[in-house]
Amino acid sequence: MLRKVRRYLEILRISTKYNLFSLLYKEINRNYIPGRRGTCYLDVENQHNARKMRLAFEELGPTFVKLGQIMSKRSDILPQSYIRELAKLQDRVKPLEFEQMLPSFSSLQCAIPGTQNGEPEISMEQVMGYFDEFDTKPIASASIAQVYRAKLNNEKVAVKVSRPGLINKINIDLSIIEDLKPFIVRIGGFGNNIDFDEFLYEFRELLNKELDFRNEARNIKRFRENFESIDDVNIPQVYDDYCTESVLVMEYMEGTPVKNIQDLDPEQRLKYTHMISSSYLKQVYLDGLYHADPHGGNILIQNNSIAYIDFGAIGIIDGELRRNMLNLFYGIYKKNLDIAFEAFLRIADIKKEDINVRHFKLDLDNLIAKQNYALGQRQNDSYANLALKYNLSLPSDFSTLERSLILIEGVCLELNPGFNLIDDAKPLITKVMLQRYSPGRAMEYFQLEGDRYLEIFKNLPQGVDDVIETIRGYRIEKLENKTNEIKRNRMYENFASYVFLSIILITSAYLATRADTATNELGIAGFVVAILLFGYSFLRNT
């Protein structure tokens, strides 16, 4: 309890220092209108405030750094100046001394056979003994972990180590955020299109996954398998025996981060831009598994190839969203407004009746024109802006992907200011469309659904019998109903006939008793006819 109170006071002190609550209220709780944005666009005031928010999150520690990274995916919450500034939170954390990191190496004693010494703590000598060489100066420092250069079995490796004591601190921060949730929702003015509980759930899931490096090891293996046949994209190899929840040992990737590239000629810049964009589009539209944090520090330029590093955050796209995304891109690429419109509606899960179709199509047509003809501008935030304008709620998977596409687009624009993502997407879109309707894919689909269809065919005869019995029962029931209807009609007709004949009979009897001879004869004739008709009706009904 005392630690939580101290943490409350620390959060209050840092928030006051950077005027954080005022920034959150000002920039979240307003209906801002996004202005024109290109690579040269700069809103000085917004940039200054966004920088203050980033610095506040960095000083608040790993929980808030990760919170800022999640917020940087949500262009429906923050203006673009904040989105871009919060995306810089990855690697601006002061490193800890190596001695302070030692407790995190203790898990290696259980992972590597024969290295247990019965002591709960591990010494620097023990850590050095696991490797041929180990440089104690970190080459990267982030909110969750630090990375070191080492040698293992005479191979260069990168050793990623989590910061000690993180879990306890993060649990306290999560508890405080939960306490402050009503206040945050109120000052944030979150609308119906923003599910704050879902936002916090996504935040917790991200932290849980990133705190266990075994998840990242599995991610690396999946990416390595997806790119094993592609020569110009490299993914590090994982050393399984040296991987625990707090330590990850992998192949060291040589190269220069894209953000540090300066001396490339235009032809090389164009080549590497194409490598990056085409490999990333493959991840999204072919594999359905993509790097969710592809900033300029996580992509390395090598000799005629590129390499991806840091797989703590990945994104997964299910088949339905991937199809709809591809249809959207296909409509944009073909400049077909109707295809893009239908795909966008499916992604947002809305019906035409829920929006002003004419206005929406005009805005979507403008988006298509920008995607196809604009150069040197970021375009992938346009989808969120369009959804925000019409108060549409896009799935969280789409928002995560859009943020990643914005990052990869920014990386490519750094290398090639004339870059347009749709140009590199065209060949891939055509390829995927051909694969989608190829005989091989149809056969694969039939094999996957074969058991279900077999069960349907097995039950088909019984189903036909059931249908026939249903039809037969329906016909019998209908016939019975028709018969009863005929009987009722006949009864009504007989009753009417008897009433009519009774009236004739009574009238004829009355006329027969009159003194007038002509009237008397008419009455007798009518009486006789009525008796005969009564007899006929009785015999017919019998």
Side-chain angles (χ1 to χ4, degrees):
M1 181 65 182
L2 186 59
R3 294 176 63 185
K4 186 173 181 179
V5 171
R6 284 202 300 264
R7 183 58 174 159
Y8 257 118
L9 293 174
E10 183 182 8
I11 291 173
L12 182 61
R13 177 183 62 81
I14 296 172
S15 299
T16 304
K17 175 182 175 182
Y18 292 100
N19 201 21
L20 184 58
F21 293 124
S22 175
L23 289 177
L24 288 172
Y25 180 79
K26 177 183 176 183
E27 298 300 347
I28 295 181
N29 190 12
R30 69 169 183 161
N31 295 320
Y32 66 92
I33 301 175
R36 294 177 57 199
R37 294 180 304 281
T39 53
C40 298
Y41 177 77
L42 182 65
D43 183 331
V44 176
E45 182 183 358
N46 274 359
Q47 288 291 343
H48 176 69
N49 291 336
R51 184 172 179 274
K52 287 170 62 177
M53 183 180 287
R54 175 179 62 78
L55 292 173
F57 281 172
E58 285 180 354
E59 194 168 336
L60 284 168
T63 308
F64 289 87
V65 168
K66 291 301 172 186
L67 179 62
Q69 291 179 351
I70 290 288
M71 290 174 68
S72 72
K73 302 176 184 179
R74 300 299 298 268
S75 55
D76 55 342
I77 296 178
L78 288 174
Q80 288 303 316
S81 54
Y82 283 75
I83 296 295
R84 287 194 287 269
E85 189 66 31
L86 291 178
K88 300 175 183 177
L89 282 166
Q90 301 90 351
D91 54 356
R92 294 173 178 263
V93 181
K94 183 179 179 181
L96 295 177
E97 295 296 329
F98 186 73
E99 289 76 10
Q100 296 175 275
M101 299 292 293
L102 284 176
S104 296
F105 284 95
S106 299
S107 59
L108 286 177
Q109 295 184 93
C110 300
I112 304 174
T115 62
Q116 297 87 344
N117 62 0
E119 297 293 330
E121 295 185 359
I122 192 169
S123 66
M124 185 179 294
E125 290 74 19
Q126 285 177 282
V127 174
M128 298 303 172
Y130 292 136
F131 302 92
D132 302 336
E133 297 177 15
F134 196 101
D135 185 354
T136 58
K137 183 180 179 181
I139 57 176
S141 176
S143 59
I144 296 265
Q146 295 183 180
V147 182
Y148 299 88
R149 186 187 287 109
K151 273 193 173 183
L152 180 63
N153 301 328
N154 211 32
E155 298 286 342
K156 289 183 179 181
V157 295
V159 183
K160 186 175 182 178
V161 187
S162 66
R163 293 183 168 225
L166 266 182
I167 293 179
N168 291 334
K169 188 173 183 179
I170 286 174
N171 283 334
I172 291 174
D173 286 346
L174 289 175
S175 176
I176 290 174
I177 291 173
E178 191 66 35
D179 293 343
L180 296 175
K181 185 173 72 172
F183 173 72
I184 295 172
V185 171
R186 185 173 181 82
I187 70 166
F190 295 110
N192 294 329
N193 63 329
I194 300 173
D195 188 339
F196 193 73
D197 290 326
E198 179 67 22
F199 177 81
L200 288 182
Y201 173 79
E202 182 186 352
F203 177 44
R204 291 191 191 95
E205 285 294 299
L206 175 67
L207 286 173
N208 289 333
K209 290 177 181 178
E210 291 203 28
L211 287 172
D212 189 343
F213 290 165
R214 291 171 295 188
N215 288 320
E216 183 172 353
R218 286 189 288 270
N219 295 341
I220 294 172
K221 290 180 181 179
R222 294 175 70 180
F223 274 87
R224 188 174 173 85
E225 182 178 299
N226 289 342
F227 282 96
E228 62 183 354
S229 62
I230 299 178
D231 296 332
D232 56 12
V233 178
N234 296 316
I235 309 294
Q237 178 186 350
V238 172
Y239 291 80
D240 289 326
D241 293 339
Y242 290 80
C243 292
T244 69
E245 68 276 5
S246 59
V247 179
L248 172 62
V249 180
M250 55 194 154
E251 177 186 0
Y252 181 79
M253 294 273 95
E254 302 281 359
T256 305
V258 172
K259 64 180 183 178
N260 297 334
I261 289 293
Q262 294 178 348
D263 55 351
L264 286 178
D265 61 54
E267 186 177 347
Q268 287 179 309
R269 287 178 174 272
L270 191 62
K271 178 179 71 173
Y272 287 118
T273 299
H274 175 69
M275 285 183 186
I276 293 169
S277 64
S278 60
S279 64
Y280 201 79
L281 290 168
K282 173 189 180 301
Q283 295 173 36
V284 173
Y285 294 109
L286 287 179
D287 305 332
L289 176 75
Y290 63 93
H291 197 301
D293 196 21
H295 59 83
N298 284 340
I299 303 175
L300 306 180
I301 300 297
Q302 300 177 318
N303 186 20
N304 293 320
S305 63
I306 62 170
Y308 286 91
I309 59 173
D310 191 0
F311 294 85
I314 65 164
I316 299 174
I317 312 177
D318 63 41
E320 182 179 359
L321 179 58
R322 202 186 324 168
R323 280 194 302 273
N324 292 333
M325 283 285 297
L326 187 65
N327 289 341
L328 177 61
F329 260 80
Y330 183 76
I332 292 171
Y333 154 48
K334 288 292 187 181
K335 308 177 189 66
N336 189 313
L337 181 60
D338 291 330
I339 293 177
F341 174 70
E342 293 293 338
F344 205 106
L345 292 189
R346 291 193 187 97
I347 291 171
D349 193 23
I350 60 166
K351 297 181 175 62
K352 295 179 182 179
E353 298 79 21
D354 299 331
I355 59 170
N356 186 317
V357 173
R358 180 175 173 274
H359 290 172
F360 188 89
K361 281 192 170 184
L362 287 174
D363 288 332
L364 184 59
D365 184 68
N366 186 45
L367 185 151
I368 291 173
K370 285 183 178 180
Q371 289 280 0
N372 281 279
Y373 303 113
L375 296 176
Q377 296 180 8
R378 299 176 188 268
Q379 299 298 332
N380 281 290
D381 55 352
S382 304
Y383 308 112
N385 291 333
L386 184 59
L388 183 64
K389 180 176 180 178
Y390 290 90
N391 198 31
L392 305 181
S393 179
L394 297 175
S396 59
D397 291 342
F398 184 90
S399 300
T400 302
L401 173 60
E402 185 182 36
R403 183 256 185 184
S404 302
L405 287 172
I406 290 171
L407 286 177
I408 207 73
E409 192 175 38
V411 168
C412 292
L413 283 170
E414 286 182 26
L415 286 173
N416 175 23
F419 171 75
N420 188 335
L421 186 64
I422 200 69
D423 290 335
D424 278 357
K426 289 176 181 178
L428 182 73
I429 291 171
T430 303
K431 178 181 178 181
V432 175
M433 284 296 186
L434 290 174
Q435 286 184 355
R436 179 189 290 186
Y437 302 107
S438 66
R441 182 59 60 87
M443 181 58 68
E444 179 182 338
Y445 177 81
F446 181 78
Q447 289 174 343
L448 289 173
E449 300 292 328
D451 291 340
R452 189 165 69 89
Y453 287 130
L454 183 60
E455 192 68 24
I456 292 173
F457 288 134
K458 283 170 61 179
N459 295 328
L460 189 58
Q462 182 62 43
V464 172
D465 288 342
D466 291 343
V467 171
I468 292 173
E469 286 299 322
T470 301
I471 294 172
R472 184 180 295 160
Y474 172 75
R475 291 178 63 186
I476 292 172
E477 182 182 358
K478 188 175 181 181
L479 182 61
E480 289 177 348
N481 292 337
K482 188 67 176 177
T483 302
N484 292 333
E485 183 181 353
I486 292 172
K487 286 181 179 179
R488 281 195 302 272
N489 292 338
R490 183 171 295 173
M491 183 182 67
Y492 296 147
E493 290 175 2
N494 292 337
F495 178 76
S497 298
Y498 289 141
V499 169
F500 179 70
L501 291 174
S502 297
I503 293 173
I504 294 176
L505 191 64
I506 293 170
T507 303
S508 298
Y510 171 75
L511 294 175
T513 59
R514 297 294 296 270
D516 187 359
T517 304
T519 304
N520 181 272
E521 291 177 354
L522 179 61
I524 293 172
F527 188 84
V528 172
V529 170
I531 290 294
L532 292 175
L533 288 175
F534 261 116
Y536 173 75
S537 297
F538 177 78
L539 291 174
R540 189 186 66 171
N541 292 333
T542 303

